[in-house]
Amino acid sequence: DAKTTQPPSMDCAEGRAANLPCNHSTISGNEYVYWYRQIHSQGPQYIIHGLKNNETNEMASLIITEDRKSSTLILPHATLRDTAVYYCIVRVDADKLIFGTGTRLQVFP
Amino acid sequence: SAVISQKPSRDICQRGTSLTIQCQVDSQVTMMFWYRQQPGQSLTLIATANQGSEATYESGFVIDKFPISRPNLTFSTLTVSNMSPEDSSIYLCSVGRAANYGYTFGSGTRLTVV
């Protein structure tokens, strides 16, 4: 079973920051948090992952709380092409990724 | 990251028949997985394709229904056997060295069973 909880949907204005929350209160000390997104009719795309420290790459930033029970994915300047379903995943074991229900992000003009 | 060629991209099949989906990768990869995505739903892991040995199936999935082959580090097939309309889904393969490096997903096979 998925170990994460996300809001089912969110809206964001184009050009603004999109902040997508994720709860993972049962995360273990050595489990990473991963974010993927799925644009309509395509396979999921890797965005970012982290363990304890905040992470940033060319796509997004990942903020993990000190107790690691929640995290936030930040898209600093959302565009219409960022409209997608965003999945927050905590790796279960053996390198498997178990997807939850995700957040459907709608970026509007 | 690896480039995946998944075939066919879509198919319409008669119930009771079988379809084999291919996943070809442009480089050797350690991990290969098969997922199912039912209409309007999230992805569900079917199995881990193990090179040279039997696949490891998740709860609710069995080898007789979803036989998987992985003869080498760049290729795998998933067969959907004795299909029924409930098998209508998108089937995706996913590959990578390890989860910490991020996995790449194929574009999927959209299967419709009539």
Side-chain angles (χ1 to χ4, degrees):
Chain A
D1 292 334
K3 299 175 66 174
T4 62
T5 304
Q6 299 176 253
S9 63
M10 295 182 64
D11 291 337
C12 179
E14 188 176 21
R16 305 296 294 269
N19 297 281
L20 291 87
C22 179
N23 287 322
H24 31 79
S25 58
T26 61
I27 193 170
S28 299
N30 61 348
E31 290 179 326
Y32 284 74
V33 179
Y34 301 82
W35 284 84
Y36 282 72
R37 73 180 182 183
Q38 186 175 27
I39 297 171
H40 183 63
S41 298
Q42 298 180 21
Q45 176 190 24
Y46 166 81
I47 301 173
I48 199 168
H49 75 276
L51 181 63
K52 297 180 181 178
N53 300 322
N54 298 336
E55 302 289 343
T56 296
N57 63 21
E58 65 277 5
M59 291 183 65
S61 294
L62 175 60
I63 308 299
I64 303 174
T65 58
E66 191 170 345
D67 63 7
R68 300 206 332 117
K69 292 186 177 183
S70 65
S71 60
T72 301
L73 179 74
I74 301 173
L75 308 178
H77 306 285
T79 71
L80 298 178
R81 287 176 293 183
D82 291 322
T83 293
V85 178
Y86 287 77
Y87 294 99
C88 170
I89 302 164
V90 172
R91 189 176 74 191
V92 177
D93 60 357
D95 281 316
K96 297 187 295 186
L97 296 180
I98 305 300
F99 285 72
T101 54
T103 295
R104 185 174 299 276
L105 175 68
Q106 179 68 54
V107 180
F108 56 91
Chain B
S1 59
V3 176
I4 298 173
S5 173
Q6 190 173 333
K7 296 179 181 179
S9 59
R10 59 179 61 231
D11 207 341
I12 300 174
C13 301
Q14 297 290 323
R15 68 177 65 199
T17 63
S18 299
L19 176 72
T20 296
I21 302 167
Q22 298 181 1
C23 179
Q24 178 73 56
V25 192
D26 69 341
S27 59
Q28 293 186 343
V29 292
T30 308
M31 312 301 296
M32 294 185 80
F33 305 94
W34 286 97
Y35 286 84
R36 179 177 73 183
Q37 187 169 29
Q38 295 175 301
Q41 304 296 313
S42 180
L43 284 78
T44 301
L45 180 63
I46 297 173
T48 302
N50 300 309
Q51 193 255 330
S53 64
E54 197 169 283
T56 304
Y57 290 85
E58 297 299 307
S59 175
F61 297 95
V62 295
I63 188 172
D64 289 347
K65 177 66 175 178
F66 299 101
I68 290 171
S69 78
R70 189 177 174 192
N72 55 52
L73 293 176
T74 63
F75 186 77
S76 177
T77 65
L78 167 74
T79 299
V80 186
S81 304
N82 187 25
M83 288 183 286
S84 66
E86 291 71 33
D87 294 320
S88 297
S89 296
I90 299 174
Y91 293 86
L92 301 106
C93 73
S94 174
V95 305
R97 283 191 288 164
N100 287 350
Y101 293 92
Y103 289 140
T104 302
F105 283 78
S107 55
T109 296
R110 185 178 295 272
L111 170 63
T112 302
V113 184
V114 298

